[in-house]
C-alpha cells in the first residue's frame, strides 16, 4: 500500500481526483483571485482534473485498489432502510467498507459484522481513505517512548494532510459546480430563449426555476471563498466565515428545490418529442458540456445544498480546537444544517398542501375560508366526543392542523364520507387537562376529557376521548401544534399565496364532475386519507427510497471518454 506521507487519495460521487503529498492539486487552481470563472474552458478543466469517466470507469479504479489490498471506505449520504436480507441497511454518516464495485448501481460492502449489497448512489467514497485510527498509537505496546512521540508527530502531520484534502475537495467541487451552472445558463437557457416557437416564458420558468439567481449568488460565494483559501498551506485556510456571511443567501435554494419536481415533469413531457431531444443535445454540444443529460444538470443544485453540511462536518472532524477557523467551521456546520432543515420543511409543506387541498374538496358542505389560508400541515386526527353544557354528546372526527382544529361528522350510511361541522381557532385557545370525575364548571361527570378555552371570548369546547392513551396523544398533539407554529414563525416558514391558490384550483378541478350522492345533491368523493406528519427532519434528507423530500440520485451519464491510458491507475498500486 502507498505510504501515508506519499499520497492521499479521495473521490466523491462527482469526481475521482488525486492530491499530491503537499496537499496541492496536480494542477493549479482554475479560478483567479477575483473568483472569476470566465477565463478558462472546459477543456482546461478536464486536463486539470480527469473527473468525468465513462460508466464503469470509477468502478474499475475502485476494484483495482481493492484487488491490490487497499481498504476502500464510503460514507453514507442518506439512510438506507431495507427489509431485504440481501441488502445492507445503514444510516447517514455510517462508514461502509467497499468490497466489490463492478456493478454501476449496486456495490458489495461490509458494515459492522454484515456483508451485503447497497446502492452506490447513496454513498460517497471517503476523502481520506487512510485515516489514522485513534488506537493506532497503542496497538504495539512494546514501542519505546521515542517511537510514541514520533507517532504523535505523524498523527498531527496526517491530520493536517486530511484537512488539506477536505478543504481542497470543497474548493474543487465548488469550481466545478460553478462551471455546471454556467453551462446551464449559457448553454441551455440562452439558446431556449432564442427559440420562442419551441418554448414559452412559463415553460422556461418551470424547467429552470431561479437557477440564474443561484448562479449569480454562487459566483459571489466562490469569489469570497477564494479570498479565504490559502494556496500555499491549504490546511490553514479559514473558509468558515464565508458560509456564515452567506447563510441567508442560501435560502434561495428553497424556491429551486420546491420547483424541481415540476421541472422534471415538464422536461420529461418535452423529451417525448424528438425535436426537443435533438435541440437539448445540440445545446450541450455547442457549449462543449460534459456528457450528462439536462435532467442531471438540473439536479446538481438540489444535491449541492444537501452536500454542504456533509462537507463541513468532515472539515470540522479534521479541524483542531486550536485552529483559528474552528469556531467558524462549527458555526457554519450548524448554519448550513439549518438551511437544509428550512428547505426540507418548505419542501415537505409544499408537498402536503396538495393533499390538504384534496382533503378539503372531499369534505361535504365546507364553509368559510379555505383550510390553506391559515394552515399547511396536519398534526393529528381522530374521533372525540364533544359535550355541550346541557350534557348532550356529539360524536365527531377532528383534524388538528397548525392554527386550527376542524370537526366533521361521518355519514350514517356511508362512513367514509365526512360533513363539515365547524372549526376552532387554536391561536385563541388555551388547553386545559381535566381530571376524571365531576367537572365543577359544567356539572358533568367526565372521563378522559380535556377542554379548549378561549382567551378572548366566552367560548369553551369540552372533548372526551375513548381511552386514556387517546387523550394523552391529543394533549401531546396540541402541544406540538403550538410548538410548530412557533418554529414556523422563527424560521420564516410561509407558503406563497400563489402555491396555495394553485393547490386548491388543482384539487377542485380533480373533484369536478363527480356523480351525485344518494340524497340527490352533488357530493365530493369519499374523504381523502390525510396522514399527520409526526416527525420533522432537522438535517439533510434521511430516506431517499421513501422519496419524502427530494428525488436525490446520481446524474445520468452518457458515454464519454475514459482515461487516455490505463496507466493513470498506476499511482494507486502498491
Amino acid at each position: 500500500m502507498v505510504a501515508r506521507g506519499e499520497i492521499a487519495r479521495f473521490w466523491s460521487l462527482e469526481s475521482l481526483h488525486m492530491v499530491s503529498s503537499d496537499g496541492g492539486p496536480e494542477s493549479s487552481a482554475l479560478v483567479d483571485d477575483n473568483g472569476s470563472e470566465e477565463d478558462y474552458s472546459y477543456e482546461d478543466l478536464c486536463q486539470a482534473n480527469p473527473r468525468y469517466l465513462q460508466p464503469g470507469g470509477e468502478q474499475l479504479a475502485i476494484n483495482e485498489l481493492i484487488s491490490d489490498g487497499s481498504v476502500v471506505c464510503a460514507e453514507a449520504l442518506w439512510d438506507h432502510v431495507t427489509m431485504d436480507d440481501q441488502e445492507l441497511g445503514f444510516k447517514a454518516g455510517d462508514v461502509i467498507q467497499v468490497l466489490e464495485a463492478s456493478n454501476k448501481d449496486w456495490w458489495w460492502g461490509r458494515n459492522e459484522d454484515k456483508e451485503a449489497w447497497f446502492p452506490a448512489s447513496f454513498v460517497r467514497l471517503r476523502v481520506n481513505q487512510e485515516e489514522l485510527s485513534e488506537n493506532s498509537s497503542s496497538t504495539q505496546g512494546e514501542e519505546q517512548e521515542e517511537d510514541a512521540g514520533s507517532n504523535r508527530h505523524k498523527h498531527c502531520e496526517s491530520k493536517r494532510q486530511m484537512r488539506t484534502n477536505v478543504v481542497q475537495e470543497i474548493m474543487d467541487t465548488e469550481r466545478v459546480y460553478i462551471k455546471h451552472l454556467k453551462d446551464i445558463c449559457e448553454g441551455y437557457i440562452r439558446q431556449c430563449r432564442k427559440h420562442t416557437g419551441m418554448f414559452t416564458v412559463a415553460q422556461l420558468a418551470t424547467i429552470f426555476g431561479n437557477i440564474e439567481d443561484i448562479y449569480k449568488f454562487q459566483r459571489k460565494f466562490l469569489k469570497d471563498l477564494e479570498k479565504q483559501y490559502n494556496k500555499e498551506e491549504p490546511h490553514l485556510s479559514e473558509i468558515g466565515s464565508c458560509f456564515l456571511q452567506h447563510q441567508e443567501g442560501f435560502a434561495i435554494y428553497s424556491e429551486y428545490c420546491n420547483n424541481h419536481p415540476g421541472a422534471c415533469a415538464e422536461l420529461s413531457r418535452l423529451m417525448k418529442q424528438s425535436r426537443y431531444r435533438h435541440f437539448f443535445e445540440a445545446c450541450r454540444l455547442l457549449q462543449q458540456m460534459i456528457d450528462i443529460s439536462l435532467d442531471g444538470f438540473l439536479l446538481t443544485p438540489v444535491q449541492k445544498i444537501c452536500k454542504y453540511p456533509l462537507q463541513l462536518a468532515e472539515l470540522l472532524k479534521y479541524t483542531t480546537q486550536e485552529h483559528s477557523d474552528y469556531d467558524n467551521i462549527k458555526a457554519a456546520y450548524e448554519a448550513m444544517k439549518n438551511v437544509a432543515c428550512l428547505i426540507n420543511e418548505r419542501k415537505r409543506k409544499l408537498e402536503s398542501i396538495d393533499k390538504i387541498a384534496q382533503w378539503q374538496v372531499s369534505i361535504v358542505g365546507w364553509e368559510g375560508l379555505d383550510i390553506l389560508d391559515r394552515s399547511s400541515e396536519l398534526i393529528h386526527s381522530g374521533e372525540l366526543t364533544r359535550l355541550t353544557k346541557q350534557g348532550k354528546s356529539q360524536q365527531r372526527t377532528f383534524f388538528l392542523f397548525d392554527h386550527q382544529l376542524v370537526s366533521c361528522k361521518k355519514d350514517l350510511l356511508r362512513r367514509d364520507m365526512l360533513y363539515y361541522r365547524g372549526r376552532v381557532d387554536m391561536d385563541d385557545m388555551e388547553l386545559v387537562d381535566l381530571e376524571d370525575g365531576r367537572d365543577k364548571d359544567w356539572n358533568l361527570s367526565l372521563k378522559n376529557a380535556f377542554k379548549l378555552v378561549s382567551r378572548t371570548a366566552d367560548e369553551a369546547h369540552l372533548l372526551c376521548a375513548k381511552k386514556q392513551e387517546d387523550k394523552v396523544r391529543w394533549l401531546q398533539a396540541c402541544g406540538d401544534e403550538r410548538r410548530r407554529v412557533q418554529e414556523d414563525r422563527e424560521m420564516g416558514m410561509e407558503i406563497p399565496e400563489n402555491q396555495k391558490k394553485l393547490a386548491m384550483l388543482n384539487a377542485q378541478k380533480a373533484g369536478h364532475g363527480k356523480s351525485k350522492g344518494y340524497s340527490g345533491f352533488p357530493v365530493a368523493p369519499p374523504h381523502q386519507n390525510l396522514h399527520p406528519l409526526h416527525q420533522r427532519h432537522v438535517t439533510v434528507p434521511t430516506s431517499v427510497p421513501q422519496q419524502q423530500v427530494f428525488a436525490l440520485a446520481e446524474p445520468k451519464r452518457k458515454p464519454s471518454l475514459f482515461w487516455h491510458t490505463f496507466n493513470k491507475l498506476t499511482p494507486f498500486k502498491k
Side-chain angles (χ1 to χ4, degrees):
M1 185 178 293
V2 179
R4 185 178 294 107
E6 294 177 2
I7 190 168
R9 305 186 296 260
F10 68 87
W11 309 268
S12 69
L13 287 177
E14 302 175 15
S15 61
L16 181 56
H17 179 59
M18 294 179 56
V19 171
S20 59
S21 59
D22 61 0
E26 292 184 333
S27 64
S28 59
L30 296 175
V31 179
D32 60 26
D33 294 335
N34 296 323
S36 172
E37 77 286 357
E38 302 294 337
D39 56 349
Y40 65 89
S41 65
Y42 173 65
E43 289 77 8
D44 298 329
L45 197 65
C46 287
Q47 291 173 6
N49 300 308
R51 296 171 177 274
Y52 307 104
L53 307 180
Q54 172 183 328
E58 185 180 71
Q59 286 71 38
L60 180 63
I62 297 170
N63 281 319
E64 176 73 13
L65 287 170
I66 295 173
S67 65
D68 285 344
S70 300
V71 177
V72 177
C73 294
E75 182 177 4
L77 295 173
W78 306 287
D79 291 359
H80 177 50
V81 181
T82 178
M83 300 297 291
D84 192 338
D85 292 337
Q86 298 298 315
E87 295 183 24
L88 193 65
F90 47 76
K91 295 182 178 180
D94 285 356
V95 177
I96 304 158
Q97 183 180 350
V98 183
L99 303 178
E100 192 264 326
S102 59
N103 186 280
K104 177 173 67 71
D105 299 317
W106 290 88
W107 293 353
W108 184 265
R110 179 187 298 124
N111 185 5
E112 296 178 349
D113 298 328
K114 182 179 179 180
E115 292 186 11
W117 294 104
F118 65 93
S121 61
F122 276 45
V123 303
R124 66 165 180 167
L125 292 164
R126 290 290 294 266
V127 170
N128 296 291
Q129 292 291 330
E130 299 180 0
E131 180 179 348
L132 188 64
S133 171
E134 294 180 0
N135 300 323
S136 61
S137 61
S138 60
T139 54
Q140 298 184 15
E142 298 179 358
E143 289 185 353
Q144 298 182 4
E145 205 62 40
E146 57 272 17
D147 292 333
S150 176
N151 285 340
R152 283 194 294 270
H153 176 71
K154 289 181 178 179
H155 174 72
C156 294
E157 294 254 339
S158 176
K159 198 152 191 175
R160 282 197 295 269
Q161 180 63 52
M162 291 172 180
R163 191 175 199 276
T164 291
N165 294 347
V166 180
V167 170
Q168 192 64 57
E169 185 197 31
I170 291 174
M171 299 302 300
D172 287 346
T173 54
E174 200 65 31
R175 293 162 184 156
V176 172
Y177 179 50
I178 284 290
K179 174 61 179 173
H180 287 344
L181 294 177
K182 178 185 177 183
D183 285 341
I184 295 172
C185 294
E186 298 185 2
Y188 286 111
I189 299 179
R190 184 179 296 175
Q191 294 297 329
C192 289
R193 284 176 177 157
K194 294 178 181 179
H195 294 74
T196 55
M198 295 180 66
F199 303 95
T200 65
V201 174
Q203 278 181 315
L204 295 182
T206 300
I207 296 173
F208 297 102
N210 64 332
I211 200 167
E212 289 177 302
D213 295 332
I214 292 177
Y215 177 41
K216 182 179 179 180
F217 167 78
Q218 288 293 154
R219 290 183 62 180
K220 179 65 170 63
F221 175 69
L222 178 59
K223 181 178 180 180
D224 293 340
L225 206 61
E226 293 285 359
K227 291 178 181 178
Q228 298 299 118
Y229 174 58
N230 190 325
K231 295 183 176 67
E232 302 300 325
E233 296 180 287
H235 68 280
L236 297 179
S237 298
E238 300 177 357
I239 63 176
S241 60
C242 293
F243 287 91
L244 296 176
Q245 179 184 349
H246 293 277
Q247 61 176 310
E248 293 184 1
F250 283 107
I252 197 174
Y253 278 84
S254 180
E255 179 182 342
Y256 185 85
C257 294
N258 291 341
N259 179 74
H260 185 256
C264 292
E266 179 65 19
L267 186 61
S268 176
R269 187 183 68 83
L270 294 180
M271 284 297 193
K272 294 178 181 178
Q273 304 179 47
S274 60
R275 68 168 182 155
Y276 284 99
R277 292 197 302 270
H278 296 155
F279 174 80
F280 287 130
E281 178 64 9
C283 290
R284 186 190 69 79
L285 294 174
L286 185 63
Q287 186 68 13
Q288 296 182 313
M289 300 162 68
I290 62 174
D291 292 333
I292 292 180
S293 57
L294 177 55
D295 57 343
F297 275 112
L298 296 178
L299 182 63
T300 52
V302 179
Q303 292 178 316
K304 188 64 177 178
I305 196 64
C306 296
K307 189 174 181 180
Y308 280 128
L310 299 173
Q311 291 179 319
L312 289 171
E314 194 160 15
L315 182 59
L316 183 63
K317 183 165 58 176
Y318 299 120
T319 303
T320 62
Q321 295 188 15
E322 295 77 21
H323 197 287
S324 57
D325 200 28
Y326 178 81
D327 290 339
N328 282 340
I329 291 295
K330 187 175 181 180
Y333 167 65
E334 293 297 330
M336 295 308 297
K337 197 164 61 168
N338 290 336
V339 168
C341 170
L342 179 61
I343 293 174
N344 197 23
E345 282 302 304
R346 283 178 175 164
K347 177 67 175 177
R348 190 183 300 278
K349 281 182 177 289
L350 194 63
E351 291 176 344
S352 71
I353 66 172
D354 290 328
K355 296 180 181 179
I356 293 175
Q358 293 167 12
W359 171 83
Q360 179 187 316
V361 170
S362 73
I363 303 299
V364 180
W366 184 272
E367 298 177 1
L369 298 174
D370 290 333
I371 187 72
L372 292 179
D373 281 2
R374 299 191 60 205
S375 303
S376 60
E377 180 179 2
L378 175 67
I379 297 172
H380 191 60
S381 65
E383 293 190 355
L384 292 171
T385 300
R386 181 177 179 273
L387 296 177
T388 65
K389 287 187 176 182
Q390 293 75 29
K392 183 180 178 180
S393 64
Q394 300 171 333
Q395 191 73 19
R396 296 287 184 262
T397 301
F398 286 87
F399 297 85
L400 178 61
F401 296 88
D402 51 318
H403 300 286
Q404 51 190 328
L405 177 67
V406 178
S407 64
C408 298
K409 178 184 177 181
K410 286 187 176 180
D411 188 275
L412 293 177
L413 298 180
R414 294 184 57 181
R415 304 298 288 174
D416 60 348
M417 184 173 292
L418 295 175
Y419 293 86
Y420 178 81
R421 284 296 179 264
R423 71 182 95 184
V424 176
D425 182 0
M426 294 300 292
D427 293 343
D428 185 48
M429 291 293 161
E430 181 178 352
L431 177 67
V432 180
D433 185 9
L434 301 177
E435 295 182 356
D436 292 349
R438 183 163 293 275
D439 181 70
K440 296 180 181 179
D441 297 333
W442 292 44
N443 195 28
L444 296 174
S445 180
L446 306 175
K447 186 177 182 180
N448 304 326
F450 61 94
K451 190 186 297 183
L452 295 173
V453 182
S454 173
R455 297 186 180 93
T456 60
D458 184 18
E459 178 186 354
H461 302 272
L462 184 58
L463 305 171
C464 297
K466 291 182 179 180
K467 300 178 181 179
Q468 175 65 22
E469 51 265 35
D470 293 337
K471 173 186 172 180
V472 171
R473 280 195 287 267
W474 273 105
L475 293 177
Q476 181 180 358
C478 290
D480 290 342
E481 186 270 337
R482 290 291 86 194
R483 190 161 45 253
R484 294 189 182 189
V485 168
Q486 179 65 24
E487 288 176 359
D488 289 348
R489 187 178 296 113
E490 293 174 353
M491 297 171 65
M493 186 75 66
E494 187 175 352
I495 303 297
E497 288 299 322
N498 63 324
Q499 295 285 354
K500 296 178 182 179
K501 292 179 180 178
L502 181 61
M504 288 303 306
L505 182 62
N506 291 336
Q508 290 165 359
K509 286 182 178 179
H512 183 67
K514 300 296 181 180
S515 60
K516 294 185 178 182
Y518 62 87
S519 59
F521 57 87
V523 297
H527 76 274
Q528 303 293 319
N529 291 326
L530 196 60
H531 302 290
L533 300 176
H534 293 293
Q535 180 181 358
R536 289 193 169 193
H537 294 257
V538 295
T539 56
V540 292
T542 58
S543 184
V544 175
Q546 297 177 10
Q547 296 180 346
Q548 292 180 332
V549 189
F550 309 130
L552 296 178
E554 191 175 6
K556 299 176 182 178
R557 297 179 182 272
K558 300 179 181 178
S560 61
L561 294 175
F562 185 51
W563 288 340
H564 299 298
T565 64
F566 187 73
N567 291 333
K568 288 283 186 178
L569 290 173
T570 54
F572 297 98
K573 296 182 178 179
K574 292 183 180 179

